[in-house]
Amino acid sequence: YICNDFLGDPVTTPWRAAALRNGINSSAAFPLKHEEQIIGVLKVYADQKEFFDQEIIDLLQEMAVNISFALNYYSREERRCKAEEALRESEERLKLVLEGSYDGYCDWNISNGVVKVSRRYIKMLGYAVGEIAPTASAIRKLIHPEDLPRVYSILDDESTGILSAFEI
């Protein structure tokens, strides 16, 4: 809302006495939004009539948009930080469950070749931690030659999307 004659605008009648005391002759108000809701107003007063020309209006409008953007960014950042913390807590719980279950796991991402194995998995196979490198080639060497065709068939099904996970 732009009012370039505060004392002559019928909308401002309730505030005229205060405007006279404070030398206000023009005013402008621009909405501040947070997640599409108006939560405040950037209110600017001037002591001159007709103070707010298009250049000043555009500048103040841009300021209000930038403040709104900052409010939204802050909220998104706060939600992201909370989500990251929740993920860290969830990962920690999963780690504790896996370590406490005495189950071993080998997670082999076929598409990028990354292999992750638990300490328990290595111990279950009768090796010491660090004795076997967590690589695809090292894990392949652990598979009995007679089991290779069945394992490769399951891996092919997983890599083509027929299976999303498997257990051997």
Side-chain angles (χ1 to χ4, degrees), residues 3-161:
C3 178
N4 272 318
D5 183 7
F6 199 92
L7 300 176
D9 189 337
V11 173
T12 62
T13 301
W15 303 282
R16 280 196 189 144
L20 278 169
R21 281 193 311 274
N22 294 292
I24 296 171
N25 286 303
S26 296
S27 71
F30 300 88
L32 300 176
K33 294 183 178 181
H34 181 251
E35 297 177 353
E36 301 304 315
Q37 298 281 343
I38 295 174
I39 61 156
V41 175
L42 173 61
K43 185 77 170 165
V44 182
Y45 299 100
D47 61 355
Q48 303 168 25
K49 275 188 179 182
E50 305 301 324
F51 178 81
F52 297 101
D53 61 16
Q54 194 57 53
E55 184 179 357
I56 292 173
I57 292 169
D58 290 345
L59 177 63
L60 292 169
Q61 179 63 42
E62 187 177 346
M63 287 173 63
V65 167
N66 287 340
I67 291 168
S68 296
F69 175 82
L71 292 169
N72 287 325
Y73 179 82
Y74 178 79
S75 293
R76 280 192 307 273
E77 187 66 13
E78 189 174 46
R79 284 191 299 271
R80 185 191 63 76
C81 287
K82 286 180 181 178
E84 283 181 358
E85 181 60 28
L87 178 60
R88 274 191 292 280
E89 289 173 2
S90 177
E91 288 174 342
E92 184 62 30
R93 282 192 306 274
L94 177 59
K95 181 181 172 186
L96 291 171
V97 166
L98 288 173
E99 288 174 357
S101 71
Y102 294 105
D103 285 340
Y105 70 87
C106 174
D107 182 15
W108 180 2
N109 186 326
I110 306 294
S111 62
N112 65 17
V114 173
V115 176
K116 295 182 181 178
V117 295
S118 68
R119 297 167 67 88
R120 179 73 181 134
Y121 176 78
I122 297 298
K123 288 180 180 180
M124 287 170 65
L125 296 174
Y127 296 95
V129 174
E131 191 175 348
I132 297 176
T135 64
S137 61
I139 300 302
R140 271 192 208 103
K141 289 177 186 174
L142 298 175
I143 301 170
H144 191 278
E146 291 176 11
D147 293 330
L148 281 173
R150 182 174 64 89
V151 170
Y152 284 137
S153 173
I154 291 171
L155 294 176
D156 286 343
D157 287 348
E158 191 276 337
S159 66
T160 58

